[in-house]
């Protein structure tokens, strides 16, 4: 039986081009089994749309309008249609909005009730002959539970998405780190996503293997 079946999750609707298994580390739900299924890799156009989101050059969403709960905009003397204050966008919120529009190209499964949709997946070779693989989810890991709380009570990043960077050697098990504690490292010129100061971050996924 597959991990998804063991944990009661629905199977992915297509044959993955890559499946990885691992266990969590340095989080409150440590040693939880994880499986990542990649249905396909992100296209250049999809990657560029996310880069545009991070750079805040994507088309902005329409401004919210008032009166939504007032029955036709009557709104208790507010005159209806009055614009609602909208927080100033940041690269993080702009990327989160772009991720909502991106297609689902894979899933991260653990023992949580639902999996995490992957909205970005890319791989590249590293100088030692292994692979560097980066995923971005459209929700922060552990957003609705405490299984991804950081060990020691460290405050996690508050972005509405998670970047997962995995280093997979050619012959040994790999490791993965996340933006729960690390900051995004997004290089527009090189068109790459990753984590800032990867080497100094705690491991969140250990024993990463290709299934």
């Amino acid at each position: 039986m597959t991990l998804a079946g063991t944990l009661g999750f629905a199977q992915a609707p297509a044959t993955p081009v890559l499946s990885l298994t691992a266990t969590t580390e340095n989080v409150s739900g440590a040693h939880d089994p994880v499986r990542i299924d990649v249905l396909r890799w992100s296209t250049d156009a999809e990657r560029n749309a996310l880069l545009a989101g991070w750079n805040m050059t994507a088309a902005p969403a329409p401004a919210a309008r008032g009166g939504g709960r007032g029955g036709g905009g009557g709104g208790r003397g507010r005159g209806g249609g009055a614009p609602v204050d909208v927080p100033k966008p940041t690269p993080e919120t702009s990327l989160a909005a772009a991720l909502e529009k991106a297609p689902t190209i894979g899933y991260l499964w653990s023992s949580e009730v639902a999996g995490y949709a992957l909205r970005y997946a890319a791989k590249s070779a590293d100088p030692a002959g292994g692979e560097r693989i980066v995923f971005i989810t459209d929700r922060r890991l552990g957003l609705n539970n405490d299984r991804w709380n950081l060990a020691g009570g460290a405050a996690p990043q508050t972005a509405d998405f998670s970047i997962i960077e995995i280093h997979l050697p050619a012959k040994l098990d790999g490791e993965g780190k996340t933006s729960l504690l690390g900051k995004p490292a997004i290089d527009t010129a090189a068109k790459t996503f990753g984590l800032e100061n990867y080497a100094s971050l705690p491991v969140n996924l250990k024993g990463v293997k290709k299934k």
Side-chain angles (χ1 to χ4, degrees):
M1 181 178 290
T2 65
L3 176 61
T6 301
L7 299 176
F9 297 129
Q11 295 290 332
T15 302
V17 298
L18 174 69
S19 286
L20 300 172
T21 60
T23 57
T24 58
E25 185 77 358
N26 293 310
V27 292
S28 58
H31 313 306
D32 196 14
V34 170
R35 192 182 83 198
I36 299 174
D37 290 327
V38 183
L39 304 181
R40 66 172 177 82
W41 301 103
S42 297
T43 65
D44 289 350
E46 291 163 350
R47 175 202 62 201
N48 292 342
L50 298 183
L51 288 170
W54 177 260
N55 293 326
M56 298 191 293
T57 56
R65 306 294 294 180
R69 294 178 180 268
R76 293 183 180 272
R78 294 176 61 87
V84 175
D85 289 338
V86 178
K88 185 177 180 180
T90 65
E92 287 81 6
T93 60
S94 183
L95 175 56
L99 287 165
E100 290 181 357
K101 302 175 185 177
T104 297
I105 58 175
Y107 300 91
L108 184 152
W109 305 100
S110 68
S111 64
E112 297 175 65
V113 174
Y116 295 87
L118 303 180
R119 301 304 181 100
Y120 176 80
K123 64 177 179 177
S124 59
D126 67 28
E131 292 179 305
R132 174 181 176 271
I133 306 172
V134 176
F135 305 115
I136 307 180
T137 68
D138 62 348
R139 290 187 296 129
R140 179 171 58 82
L141 297 173
L143 180 64
N144 298 314
N145 60 74
D146 60 3
R147 297 196 63 79
W148 292 89
N149 286 355
L150 296 168
Q157 294 292 319
T158 57
D160 293 330
F161 58 85
S162 284
I163 296 177
I164 303 160
E165 182 173 343
I166 291 174
H167 289 198
L168 194 62
K171 297 182 179 180
L172 302 174
D173 292 351
E175 65 174 23
K177 303 180 181 184
T178 73
S179 56
L180 289 173
L181 191 59
K183 295 181 179 180
I186 299 176
D187 189 327
T188 302
K191 297 184 177 180
T192 59
F193 294 85
L195 297 171
E196 186 176 299
N197 299 320
Y198 176 90
S200 65
L201 297 176
V203 172
N204 293 138
L205 295 173
K206 70 175 185 178
V208 180
K209 301 177 183 179
K210 289 185 178 181
K211 186 180 175 185

